[in-house]
């Protein structure tokens, strides 16, 4: 719909600006080899980006939603920091694909990201694993 493609970078497979009232959201798709430090480290990287304290490993189960689609396993997290002058929210998904980990992240103003959550989740359900390379 109204998500606007931006140039992708080295690690960014895709990048979109998500316009809204009170600022612009950023949607990115990135891929890295390996598990990139594991689930907890990645969740806490997103939390640190919006100035939230880290989760303990015992908190992960309550902080994430898991689902399978198209043979991929998705771990979705949502974090908001509404304390500062500008309330911000991050929606992220961690998806192991082969020997790599893909990350889908929507971040920006709290109200905008909340409003786009349904579109974000709908998008995740359309993601399919890349076809294996021909031998």
């Amino acid at each position: 719909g109204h998500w606007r493609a931006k140039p992708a970078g080295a690690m960014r497979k895709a990048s979109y600006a998500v316009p809204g009232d009170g600022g612009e959201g950023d949607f990115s798709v990135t891929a890295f080899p390996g598990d990139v430090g594991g689930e907890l480290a990645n969740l806490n990287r997103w939390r640190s980006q919006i100035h939230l304290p880290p989760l303990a490993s015992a908190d992960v189960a309550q902080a994430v939603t898991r689902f399978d689609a198209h043979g991929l396993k998705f771990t979705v997290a949502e974090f908001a920091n509404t304390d500062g002058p500008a309330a911000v929210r991050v929606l992220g998904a961690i998806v192991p694909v082969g020997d790599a980990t893909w990350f889908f992240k929507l971040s920006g103003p709290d109200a905008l990201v909340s409003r786009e959550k349904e579109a974000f989740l709908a998008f995740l359900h359309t993601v399919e694993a890349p076809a294996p390379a021909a031998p």
Side-chain angles (χ1 to χ4, degrees):
H2 54 279
W3 294 14
R4 200 173 66 245
K6 294 194 291 193
M11 290 295 186
R12 280 194 172 210
K13 302 291 184 186
S15 196
Y16 292 87
V18 183
D21 306 330
E24 190 172 82
D26 177 67
F27 175 69
S28 63
V29 181
T30 54
F32 297 90
D35 70 356
V36 204
E39 199 168 82
L40 181 63
N42 288 298
L43 295 173
N44 282 332
R45 181 164 47 89
W46 289 337
R47 288 177 66 84
S48 73
Q49 287 167 358
I50 60 169
H51 310 290
L52 289 175
L55 291 172
S57 54
D59 301 329
V60 170
Q62 290 173 307
V64 302
T65 307
R66 301 180 196 278
F67 67 86
D68 293 3
H70 304 291
L72 294 172
K73 293 189 178 301
F74 292 78
T75 300
V76 180
E78 181 173 16
F79 301 121
N81 184 343
T82 53
D83 284 344
V88 287
R89 184 175 293 263
V90 173
L91 267 172
I94 302 172
V95 188
V97 181
D99 296 331
T101 304
W102 286 56
F103 298 95
F104 299 84
K105 186 179 79 166
L106 175 61
S107 59
D110 180 43
L112 181 148
V113 174
S114 296
R115 191 187 70 222
E116 297 292 338
K117 181 176 184 178
E118 209 171 301
F120 177 85
L121 293 172
F123 176 85
L124 293 181
H125 280 87
T126 69
V127 173
E128 298 185 23

